[in-house]
Amino acid sequence: MAKEKGYFEEEGLDVELVQSQNETINAVGTGQVVLGAGHITSSLIPIINGVDAQYLGLMNTGCKGLYVAGDSDLESAGEMDEMTIGIHGGMGESDHNIALRFLQEEGADPESVQFTTSDVAATTEAIKSGELDGAIYTENCAAPIVEDGSLKEINSITTDEAFKDEVCCAIFVHKPFIQENPVITKNCYGHL
């Protein structure tokens, strides 16, 4: 959006937006890109462990939810004891952490829930077949699947009262870039 509105050009920057083939924090840490954004839980451990990146600031609240089959009787994560939830990414990554937050907030026993890494493209079919009881999705990606009745959202970090005001994502920058370009970095962040 900032590029489309010409904010970077106003700063004299020729910015190229890229989709990294790596985890964003790794692409920033290795200098493949100088600025990135992502869920705090996915970037915190690499930054603590010395990846060559640092947090620049907070980004946004909400964007993910817990989804179940459209015809399911489940109404919240609190009803998911002894069930299986699909996550995209690994244990400790954003989907896993968000699912744990939903379970704890709604009174379920997270220890009783099984988490399985699921390919995004196969997750909806796994829910429909009963292989998964639910899954964490990015809400804009799930919207068409909700519209066709295949899924329904039962918890949301965007709209649930307990989460809607919490920042979940951050912007991080390649350390050498910020050290060499502090003013440019500050101005870029101001436009994001």
Side-chain angles (χ1 to χ4, degrees):
M1 182 69 75
K3 181 173 175 141
E4 290 174 16
K5 293 191 176 221
Y7 296 148
F8 295 122
E9 192 175 311
E10 286 175 17
E11 299 295 333
L13 299 173
D14 182 19
V15 172
E16 178 186 359
L17 302 179
V18 296
Q19 288 225 267
S20 173
Q21 296 302 312
N22 290 324
E23 181 76 26
T24 305
I25 186 63
N26 293 332
V28 172
T30 59
Q32 293 173 328
V33 297
V34 295
L35 193 69
H39 200 273
I40 293 169
T41 60
S42 299
S43 57
L44 182 61
I45 299 302
I47 287 176
I48 288 171
N49 286 336
V51 72
D52 210 9
Q54 73 180 57
Y55 287 115
L56 187 56
L58 303 174
M59 190 172 133
N60 65 284
T61 60
C63 72
K64 292 192 177 196
L66 175 57
Y67 293 82
V68 296
D71 60 358
S72 172
D73 292 332
L74 294 172
E75 295 295 327
S76 83
E79 302 169 49
M80 296 194 77
D81 283 337
E82 307 295 328
M83 294 190 180
T84 302
I85 296 176
I87 56 174
H88 309 115
M91 299 297 276
E93 296 277 337
S94 65
D95 284 7
H96 180 236
N97 280 282
I98 289 167
L100 290 172
R101 299 281 316 281
F102 289 148
L103 293 165
Q104 290 170 338
E105 178 66 25
E106 298 291 340
D109 176 12
E111 296 292 322
S112 76
V113 174
Q114 181 175 340
F115 294 97
T116 186
T117 300
S118 176
D119 180 76
V120 176
T123 302
T124 303
E125 289 306 316
I127 291 172
K128 285 180 181 178
S129 73
E131 181 182 338
L132 295 174
D133 298 296
I136 301 293
Y137 281 85
T138 301
E139 290 168 325
N140 63 346
C141 293
I145 310 167
V146 170
E147 285 177 23
D148 77 12
S150 297
L151 297 179
K152 71 176 183 178
E153 186 176 45
I154 60 172
N155 286 102
S156 168
I157 61 172
T158 306
T159 59
D160 284 10
E161 196 61 37
F163 307 108
K164 67 182 181 117
D165 297 323
E166 292 182 2
V167 175
C168 54
C169 291
I171 297 171
F172 30 86
V173 65
H174 188 59
K175 279 185 185 176
F177 182 83
I178 196 170
Q179 291 162 351
E180 296 167 15
N181 305 284
V183 174
I184 291 172
T185 304
K186 179 181 178 224
N187 292 342
C188 285
Y189 177 65
H191 292 306
L192 297 175

